[in-house]
Amino acid sequence: MAGGKIRKDKASSRGAPSSNHYQGGISFHKSKGQHILKNPLLVDSIVQKSGIKSTDVVLEIGPGTGNLTKKLLEAGKMVVAIELDPRMVLELQRRFQGTPFSNRLKGDVLKTDLPYFDICVANIPYQISSPLTFKLLNHQPSFRCAIIMFQREFAMRLVAQPGDTLYCRLSVNTQLYARVSHLLKVGKNNFRPPPKVDSSVVRIEPRKPRPQVNPKEWDGFIRICFIRKNKTLGSIFRIKNVLSMLEKNYKTLQALQQSHNGSSGSTNVEMDISGLGDSKEDQSMELDDGTDSEMEVEDGDADGEASEFKQKVLNVLKERDYFEKRSSKLSQEEFLHLLSQFNMAGIHFS
């Protein structure tokens, strides 16, 4: 959250421990991700890079005590500022009460549904980075862009390209639905209290129209591909647990098709993508996911003679020249192409 100055009070005569307070008496909780951006030049830079129009409704998430809010009000038509902490909402309302901005500011506590907005500016608690990113991308009608402050390593995962060390499932999922670019690095000393790590500001622009991909099917496929991203796809799709799950899906689909007299039984596909946001992405920023598995699996070629279904899976990889390729180097287009080839062969991931 962007916001005002804080000071450290001395311990009272009763021996109470010292704590950080906003000048108006609001205490900030590091455990809730409440780090106040104190550099006014950075506030100006964020607003300038946001490209706000005078007709824009701006959604601000984590307004804190309102320093960034004031700049957003000066640039846009209206600001809807939402907070997790009700104390901050009241503080924001008090700050702008009786000012020319009071009628153009709506302060509210963060709820399940987001309101209409043209552009989003957010300095969010880092522990909700992934869920909030996909909550925004799932929002309809689609907004123009979002300018968000993230923990630096999380931000670099968002923008990572094939072959980069930090390229991961988060990179692929986000870039399927949005164009993502890094705007600026923000050192930890620009906050009070300072967080443990540096931050980065990222621009997220939803792709229009949204890709017509079944989110559950896509997520199941990408999770498997990134079980061990630096191993070949040929190795990953020989893992026993993977083959077992895919064969179960295959048999279930075959049974459903038979019950519909050979029809695919087409139904409306649920396009909610908010489920792609995985809080585990935020809790594992210090892990090297180069060869680590996201789940316990067994390597599985112990049977000697490959089953018919196993051969069916491996043939898709071999015929399309993916057998020796690695997820860490595959582009978005290659992932989409491979998923379509599996689906055409009757192999599904959800």
Side-chain angles (χ1 to χ4, degrees):
M1 59 183 61
K5 300 176 181 178
I6 60 174
R7 59 184 174 83
K8 181 172 285 188
D9 289 343
K10 295 180 180 179
S12 69
S13 57
R14 295 181 182 178
S18 63
S19 60
N20 286 336
H21 291 278
Y22 170 61
Q23 286 179 333
I26 296 290
S27 58
F28 300 111
H29 304 297
K30 292 175 70 174
S31 62
K32 294 181 180 179
Q34 294 179 343
H35 300 279
I36 307 305
L37 186 60
K38 66 180 183 178
N39 187 336
L41 295 179
L42 272 174
V43 171
D44 289 340
S45 180
I46 290 171
V47 173
Q48 186 270 327
K49 290 180 181 296
S50 298
I52 299 171
K53 300 176 182 178
S54 60
T55 55
D56 282 343
V57 174
V58 183
L59 175 68
E60 184 185 10
I61 302 175
T65 53
N67 280 3
L68 178 57
T69 309
K70 182 175 183 296
K71 295 292 184 179
L72 296 176
L73 283 164
E74 292 172 355
K77 177 182 178 181
M78 177 179 288
V79 173
V80 180
I82 55 178
E83 253 289 351
L84 289 170
D85 191 340
R87 301 172 310 146
M88 296 295 181
V89 175
L90 292 174
E91 181 62 30
L92 201 65
Q93 291 170 342
R94 279 197 295 263
R95 174 168 182 173
F96 293 101
Q97 188 175 14
T99 72
F101 297 127
S102 59
N103 293 330
R104 296 198 286 116
L105 172 67
K106 180 181 179 182
D108 202 355
V109 178
L110 182 60
K111 297 172 183 172
T112 302
D113 297 324
L114 296 173
Y116 170 85
F117 63 96
D118 298 300
I119 188 168
C120 174
V121 180
N123 180 16
I124 59 176
Y126 294 148
Q127 60 266 31
I128 66 168
S129 294
S130 186
L132 181 61
T133 297
F134 288 98
K135 185 180 182 70
L136 286 169
L137 289 176
N138 190 56
H139 183 71
Q140 293 294 320
S142 186
F143 53 95
R144 190 165 74 251
C145 73
I147 309 298
I148 306 181
M149 181 96 68
F150 290 115
Q151 177 181 331
R152 179 162 174 77
E153 186 170 337
F154 183 90
M156 300 316 292
R157 289 184 180 214
L158 284 179
V159 303
Q161 297 298 305
D164 292 348
T165 302
L166 292 178
Y167 189 62
C168 62
R169 186 165 59 88
L170 175 67
S171 319
V172 176
N173 283 340
T174 306
Q175 293 172 34
L176 175 66
Y177 294 101
R179 297 178 182 85
V180 190
S181 56
H182 183 271
L183 295 182
L184 57 98
K185 181 178 178 180
V186 181
K188 57 188 176 183
N189 291 327
N190 287 286
F191 298 89
R192 288 182 184 170
K196 294 181 179 179
V197 295
D198 291 336
S199 304
S200 280
V201 178
V202 170
R203 181 184 182 91
I204 299 175
E205 297 180 54
R207 295 188 187 277
K208 301 176 184 178
R210 179 187 290 183
Q212 294 301 299
V213 179
N214 183 327
K216 290 184 178 180
E217 181 78 1
W218 171 262
D219 189 42
F221 169 63
I222 294 299
R223 283 180 184 272
I224 289 175
C225 290
F226 279 91
I227 285 174
R228 292 188 174 94
K229 71 175 187 179
N230 287 321
K231 287 190 175 293
T232 65
L233 292 172
S235 296
I236 290 173
F237 281 91
R238 286 202 302 267
I239 295 173
K240 279 185 177 179
N241 289 5
V242 171
L243 284 168
S244 176
M245 184 271 289
L246 293 179
E247 187 168 14
K248 182 179 178 180
N249 289 350
Y250 181 78
K251 290 179 178 179
T252 299
L253 183 62
Q254 293 295 306
L256 287 173
Q257 289 177 339
Q258 289 177 9
S259 69
H260 286 85
N261 298 321
S263 165
S264 62
S266 61
T267 58
N268 292 329
V269 176
E270 175 59 58
M271 297 303 290
D272 187 335
I273 67 172
S274 59
L276 296 178
D278 188 349
S279 60
K280 290 181 181 179
E281 295 282 2
D282 308 294
Q283 298 167 0
S284 61
M285 289 295 96
E286 296 180 1
L287 295 179
D288 175 13
D289 64 357
T291 56
D292 289 339
S293 173
E294 288 188 37
M295 61 175 115
E296 290 297 321
V297 293
E298 297 177 39
D299 237 341
D301 226 339
D303 295 339
E305 192 170 334
S307 69
E308 182 179 342
F309 179 78
K310 176 179 177 180
Q311 198 58 48
K312 184 181 185 72
V313 171
L314 298 183
N315 281 345
V316 172
L317 296 172
K318 291 175 181 177
E319 290 172 2
R320 303 303 174 183
D321 199 28
Y322 286 104
F323 193 82
E324 295 297 331
K325 292 185 177 180
R326 292 166 168 79
S327 297
S328 60
K329 298 185 185 301
L330 284 189
S331 68
Q332 194 76 242
E333 292 74 18
E334 288 174 309
F335 279 120
L336 285 167
H337 179 250
L338 179 55
L339 176 59
S340 71
Q341 296 304 305
F342 273 125
N343 288 170
M344 287 176 63
I347 299 167
H348 291 267
F349 296 83
S350 65

